[in-house]
Amino acid sequence: DIQMTQSPASLSASLEEIVTITCQASQDIGNWLAWYQQKPGKSPQLLIHSATSLADGIPSRFSGSRSGTQYSLKISRLQVEDTGIYYCLQRYSNPNTFGAGTKLELK
Amino acid sequence: QVKLLQSGAALVKPGASVKMSCKASGYTFTDYWVSWVKQSHGKSLEWIGEIYPNSGATNFNEKFKGKATLTVDKSTSTAYMELSRLTSEDSAIYYCTREATVVLDYWGQGVMVTVSS
């Protein structure tokens, strides 16, 4: 199985701050990487697909990038509504695997 | 718009089985695979498996083979997952999702399954 090592596990940041979350894949997954945000009691919501493509309706302050097998989600100016847990997902091969999650809070 | 409406929460006894549903609307049900995902309390997400409604073809995470059975009813655009021989480890929220090639794009609201005597 492909392992997705996500960091940090938790993060506290201030409003308007730049936030970066990373996922390291244990092998090449190409651009088969997505990012999700999950709020308490809700289903995960798609933010980024194909490593760098913004999902419909997602604010442009969210962006995704790739460097080899390391993938990053960047929030350029943190807003109150951005708190939650963020997950990466690889769909390069079965079983699809998720990162362990990053809990993002406001400082 | 695309919607996946899942059945309600279930309280089941250890050793029993539970079957949950996921009714799709807003798209052609037979054109997209449906995946199922488990989220244990306070934990991350695990991919259980997938089914292609057009043919009934399935793929599973080895961890869930023998535990989960996936079926569909094309006439009602509904996907089903049955979990068998339940233990406390199966207590979790289960989501159905639509697969759009590179991504799981739409998710149901989730079904909370509690296994308790």
Side-chain angles (χ1 to χ4, degrees):
Chain A
D1 297 1
I2 295 175
Q3 307 303 314
M4 301 302 296
T5 304
Q6 187 171 342
S7 62
S10 64
L11 178 56
S12 181
S14 302
L15 278 176
E16 303 288 323
E17 190 173 333
I18 297 172
V19 169
T20 301
I21 298 167
T22 64
C23 269
Q24 177 71 50
S26 60
Q27 65 185 73
D28 178 39
I29 59 168
N31 286 331
W32 291 74
L33 190 285
W35 290 98
Y36 295 85
Q37 178 196 62
Q38 188 176 32
K39 298 275 193 179
K42 299 292 186 182
S43 309
Q45 179 186 20
L46 178 65
L47 300 174
I48 300 286
H49 65 86
S50 307
T52 61
S53 298
L54 197 63
D56 292 344
I58 302 302
S60 58
R61 64 180 179 273
F62 290 91
S63 63
S65 63
R66 171 192 173 189
S67 176
T69 57
Q70 180 164 290
Y71 300 80
S72 298
L73 172 70
K74 178 180 165 183
I75 308 173
S76 60
R77 295 179 309 280
L78 188 66
Q79 302 298 301
V80 173
E81 60 268 29
D82 298 337
T83 58
I85 302 177
Y86 290 80
Y87 296 97
C88 62
L89 163 67
Q90 71 78 19
R91 276 185 49 75
Y92 179 78
S93 68
N94 286 341
N96 296 182
T97 46
F98 293 85
T102 295
K103 186 173 184 179
L104 175 58
E105 297 175 322
L106 273 178
K107 196 179 290 183
Chain B
Q1 69 280 33
V2 174
K3 286 187 178 179
L4 297 172
L5 182 62
Q6 296 186 245
S7 47
L11 172 62
V12 290
K13 295 189 186 308
S17 298
V18 66
K19 189 173 185 177
M20 62 193 75
S21 64
C22 170
K23 183 172 177 58
S25 61
Y27 72 97
T28 302
F29 180 61
T30 49
D31 284 352
Y32 294 82
W33 289 76
V34 173
S35 267
W36 292 83
V37 174
K38 176 184 181 182
Q39 186 167 39
S40 302
H41 181 66
K43 295 190 178 179
S44 187
L45 302 150
E46 290 182 280
W47 184 80
I48 295 170
E50 62 186 355
I51 185 165
Y52 188 50
N54 198 33
S55 64
T58 56
N59 295 300
F60 285 94
N61 184 335
E62 283 291 327
K63 178 178 177 179
F64 292 96
K65 281 185 177 177
K67 170 63 67 177
T69 301
L70 304 182
T71 56
V72 296
D73 181 343
K74 289 190 283 187
S75 69
T76 60
S77 299
T78 303
Y80 297 90
M81 179 171 72
E82 183 170 19
L83 301 173
S84 60
R85 298 182 302 278
L86 292 167
T87 72
S88 58
E89 294 297 307
D90 298 314
S91 293
I93 296 174
Y94 293 88
Y95 296 100
C96 63
T97 79
R98 190 183 79 160
E99 296 186 15
T101 312
V102 300
V103 70
L104 307 179
D105 58 355
Y106 289 91
W107 294 58
Q109 82 276 20
V111 174
M112 180 176 289
V113 174
T114 304
V115 182
S116 174
S117 55

